[in-house]
Amino acid sequence: MKSIIITKKHITLFCSLLLALTVCIIGTTVTFAGQERKLPIYCVECDKKQVAISFDAAWGNDDTEELIKILSDYNVPATFFVVGAWVDKYPESVKQLSDAGHRVENHSNTHPYMTKLSSEQIKNEIDCCNEKIAKVTGRKPTLIRVPYGDYDNHVVETVENVGMYCIQWDVDSLDWKDNATPESIYKRVTKKVKNGSIVLFHNDADHTPAALPNILKTLKDDGYEFVFIEDLILKENYEIKHDGTQCKKDG
């Protein structure tokens, strides 16, 4: 019968294999945990042919009045996510949006990457923007769209803790791209919209005013009803699927 001699080399190899196995297990756990991350609302599961149009306003202001007119021509309500610094610079436009019947919501105060901020800093960004909007419109925002779509569990939880809803989008017009055209914006939006979609535009993109009328007409002809994001989303007894779709909880 042969005896097995365990050397220092064997022990070292065994320890190395054990460490590697441990790392793999931990890595798997992290991956699984990552799949359970908290998500903003990208769209809403619904049977009705409803869609919400939204605009982000952070920098320029050349097209805001024209967008208000187009939306009025087609009797379409829209949600505008504005940065606090933009409110400081263009308070008259914020009032015009509100007076025209559109919802003015929060897009942070200074447009930072929220994931790089502490809870207190995120809360300050939210509160400062809310105060500026409320001062002009008389209405405190209930929704926030974080800048750059930059979020993690920490950001989403902080937003929830201040009693607001974190909103993304499932249809990106990509109207901000250098190679965007009215035709490319139109095709992208009309092909991707479905029941419960939230569409993202920007208030100062070069070709949005040219693309918007045809988009609104086509969606209306297809039977879609335009609603505010606040009226589209569920306020209680909901869950968010892995793709960001908000839906009613079972049971």
Side-chain angles (χ1 to χ4, degrees), residues 75 81 83 94 120 127 132 148 155 205 214 227 229 231 249:
N75 194 29
F81 291 91
V83 172
V94 176
E120 190 59 35
D127 289 345
K132 291 176 181 181
Y148 310 108
V155 173
N214 286 337
V227 297
I229 295 175
D231 296 332
K249 279 185 178 179

Side-chain angles (χ1 to χ4, degrees), residues 100-119:
H102 302 297
R103 295 287 168 82
V104 182
E105 302 288 354
N106 195 313
H107 195 35
S108 81
N109 190 49
T110 63
H111 209 267
Y113 285 95
M114 293 286 211
T115 56
K116 297 181 179 180
L117 305 182
S118 67
S119 295

Side-chain angles (χ1 to χ4, degrees), residues 136-155:
V136 176
T137 67
R139 176 184 173 276
K140 182 181 177 182
T142 60
L143 315 177
I144 180 170
R145 175 173 286 158
V146 296
Y148 310 108
D150 177 49
Y151 67 86
D152 55 16
N153 280 17
H154 170 62
V155 173

Side-chain angles (χ1 to χ4, degrees), residues 46 48-52 194-197 224-225 227 231-232:
C46 63
K48 296 180 181 179
K49 293 195 74 170
Q50 293 183 325
V51 58
K194 63 182 188 298
N195 292 5
S197 279
Y224 280 99
E225 174 190 9
V227 297
D231 296 332
L232 179 68

Side-chain angles (χ1 to χ4, degrees), residues 7-8 34 38 56 70 131 162 169 172 177 189 198 210 218 222 231 235 249:
T7 66
K8 184 177 181 182
K38 296 182 76 68
D56 286 359
I70 294 169
E131 289 172 8
V162 299
W169 59 86
D172 190 345
K177 294 190 107 179
V189 173
I198 297 173
T218 296
D222 285 345
D231 296 332
K235 304 300 196 315
K249 279 185 178 179

Side-chain angles (χ1 to χ4, degrees), residues 41 63 76 141 242:
I41 300 168
D63 299 326
V76 170
H242 65 89

Side-chain angles (χ1 to χ4, degrees), residues 57 82-92 94 104 129 132-133 136:
V82 305
V83 172
W86 194 83
V87 179
D88 292 336
K89 197 170 183 181
Y90 306 110
E92 70 288 347
V94 176
V104 182
C129 185
K132 291 176 181 181
I133 292 172
V136 176

Side-chain angles (χ1 to χ4, degrees), residues 154-225:
H154 170 62
V155 173
V156 177
E157 287 170 358
T158 303
V159 170
E160 291 175 348
N161 287 339
V162 299
M164 297 181 72
Y165 297 90
C166 196
I167 305 295
Q168 289 283 93
W169 59 86
D170 68 316
V171 180
D172 190 345
S173 67
L174 297 181
D175 57 355
W176 54 271
K177 294 190 107 179
D178 290 338
N179 62 351
T181 65
E183 293 76 20
S184 69
I185 297 169
Y186 170 84
K187 288 178 181 178
R188 184 173 180 83
V189 173
T190 55
K191 284 175 66 175
K192 290 181 175 292
V193 163
K194 63 182 188 298
N195 292 5
S197 279
I198 297 173
V199 187
L200 169 65
F201 294 102
H202 295 81
N203 77 309
D204 62 342
D206 290 340
H207 302 292
T208 303
L212 191 59
N214 286 337
I215 291 171
L216 300 182
K217 182 179 186 306
T218 296
L219 294 180
K220 281 205 165 196
D221 290 345
D222 285 345
Y224 280 99
E225 174 190 9

